[in-house]
Amino acid sequence: MAGRAARLVLLSLAATLAAGSQGDREPVYRDCVLRCEERNCSGGALKHFRSRQPIYMSLAGWTCRDDCKYECMWVTVGLYLQEGHRVPQFHGKWPFSRFLFFQEPASAIASLLNGLASLVMLCRYRASVPTSSPMYHTCVAFAWVSLNAWFWSTVFHTRDTDLTEKMDYFCASAVILHSVYLCCVRTVGLQHPAVASAFRALLLLLLTLHVSYLSLIRFDYGYNMGANVAVGLVNLAWWLAWCLRNHQRLPHARKCMAVVLMLQALSLLELLDFPPLFWVLDAHAIWHISTIPVHVLFFSFLEDDSLYLLKELEAKFKLD
């Protein structure tokens, strides 16, 4: 839904600032990393590091240089706090206390829980809605696209690399576009399948061009932000217009309206940018946790609406 667009905006803004965060610009941080790498990341010292590194850390791709950055980050944070200064960010992120191989434990676990909630609701949807329902295949496809996005969100918050960042961004964009397509099918496509097919082809083309540009030409955070905001606003306006037009005739449309409004309200949590509580829980993690029941409610709406459409279709056949 539209809340993914809000999240992408703030991720893009953070990433734009990533190369020039206050913490990683500090000479004490840079000197610490340089000394640590010289001491631990070459020759026999590197072999010793690898021999004592837990297997789960090496499997997750944590390197000696990564460990140096992590340790020096906390050295710098300690000096800031000792001098009474505000906690700085490093490479566009607040300092997080690593748990096992999780770089941002709260956000990673919350993303995983969102994915699990989507999986449970998908299983419930498939168990209660017959395949003959007009929206069945579109809703199931949306569920799988959402599951894929939450998988990559979990991976990205577990281990932030260029690849996991791009996959998180691209898969989130796919969710927004598929939500727009879902709305198109529900409002127009059931009566005009050719229009829905043409619109689907257009959205697939737009996603392909979007990913190709960001992957092959340059990863432009500003463009990525603008594109996702634009699509997210279309998504929001289209769903909200349908809800307002149908909420009296279709009581379950109120669930959809609640989802749209709640996602917009919850996205404001991302604006509360503060250092993580206990070095684990920041505004972004709280936002991820808050969206779990919202996704459950949206899938509940899809289930109710699909069953309604099936009854409407069966009644039409009986009249014919």
Side-chain angles (χ1 to χ4, degrees):
M1 295 292 288
R4 299 290 291 182
R7 174 173 172 264
L8 279 168
V9 172
L10 290 145
L11 282 174
S12 296
L13 288 171
T16 303
L17 301 172
S21 296
Q22 184 176 351
D24 53 84
R25 287 201 309 263
E26 283 292 341
V28 64
Y29 171 79
R30 295 188 176 189
D31 291 344
C32 177
V33 172
L34 182 62
R35 290 196 303 271
C36 178
E37 288 179 351
E38 291 175 347
R39 184 172 62 251
N40 299 315
C41 301
S42 62
L46 179 59
K47 291 181 180 179
H48 177 66
F49 167 81
R50 289 172 176 167
S51 67
R52 61 183 174 83
Q53 184 184 36
I55 185 66
Y56 57 81
M57 293 293 286
S58 59
L59 289 175
W62 287 95
T63 65
C64 180
R65 177 176 172 77
D66 294 328
D67 255 31
C68 284
K69 288 182 177 180
Y70 180 76
E71 297 298 334
C72 291
M73 175 183 74
W74 289 115
V75 170
T76 308
V77 168
L79 291 173
Y80 264 70
L81 293 176
Q82 184 178 335
E83 296 295 326
H85 298 302
R86 189 170 183 263
V87 176
Q89 291 191 341
F90 296 81
H91 306 286
K93 291 177 176 285
W94 292 112
F96 289 93
S97 182
R98 193 170 62 193
F99 174 71
L100 298 177
F101 53 80
F102 292 104
Q103 188 169 352
E104 299 174 48
S107 290
I109 293 172
S111 295
L112 179 62
L113 291 175
N114 273 281
L116 288 175
S118 297
L119 179 60
V120 169
M121 295 307 292
L122 170 61
C123 294
R124 173 177 160 173
Y125 180 90
R126 295 180 66 177
S128 61
V129 179
T131 57
S132 55
S133 175
M135 288 291 293
Y136 178 88
H137 296 291
T138 307
C139 290
V140 169
F142 175 75
W144 283 114
V145 171
S146 298
L147 279 169
N148 179 63
W150 285 119
F151 168 79
W152 282 108
S153 177
T154 302
V155 172
F156 171 64
H157 290 301
T158 298
R159 186 76 177 88
D160 181 356
T161 67
D162 287 341
L163 174 62
T164 59
E165 179 188 46
K166 286 182 172 63
M167 291 303 297
D168 181 51
Y169 275 56
F170 297 159
C171 294
S173 297
V175 172
I176 300 170
L177 287 170
H178 204 293
S179 181
V180 176
Y181 174 67
L182 187 68
C183 191
C184 174
V185 173
R186 181 62 182 89
T187 58
V188 180
L190 296 179
Q191 294 77 31
H192 307 283
V195 173
S197 296
F199 191 64
R200 178 179 60 197
L202 174 63
L203 292 178
L204 286 172
L205 177 62
L206 290 176
L207 181 62
T208 301
L209 293 174
H210 179 72
V211 171
S212 298
Y213 172 73
L214 294 175
S215 301
L216 303 177
I217 299 178
R218 74 187 186 99
F219 200 91
D220 186 333
Y221 289 103
Y223 155 73
N224 184 63
M225 176 182 67
N228 282 288
V229 167
V231 177
L233 290 175
V234 170
N235 186 44
L236 166 66
W238 201 342
W239 273 114
L240 195 56
W242 180 86
C243 293
L244 290 172
R245 190 168 59 251
N246 292 280
H247 74 279
Q248 291 184 339
R249 184 174 63 91
L250 305 175
H252 62 267
R254 294 167 191 168
K255 291 184 180 181
C256 181
M257 186 186 298
V259 167
V260 172
L261 297 177
M262 287 169 65
L263 281 177
Q264 295 312 304
L266 288 173
S267 66
L268 297 177
L269 284 171
E270 293 272 32
L271 301 178
L272 302 175
D273 197 22
F274 54 83
L277 301 174
F278 310 108
W279 306 115
V280 172
L281 194 66
D282 68 333
H284 184 67
I286 295 172
W287 181 82
H288 269 324
I289 294 168
S290 302
T291 58
I292 296 171
V294 179
H295 290 297
V296 172
L297 183 61
F298 185 61
F299 278 104
S300 177
F301 155 73
L302 293 178
E303 179 184 341
D304 291 346
D305 195 50
S306 296
L307 291 172
Y308 162 78
L309 289 171
L310 181 61
K311 289 180 181 179
E312 191 179 57
L313 182 64
E314 290 173 346
K316 182 181 178 181
F317 279 136
K318 287 179 181 179
L319 290 175
D320 294 340

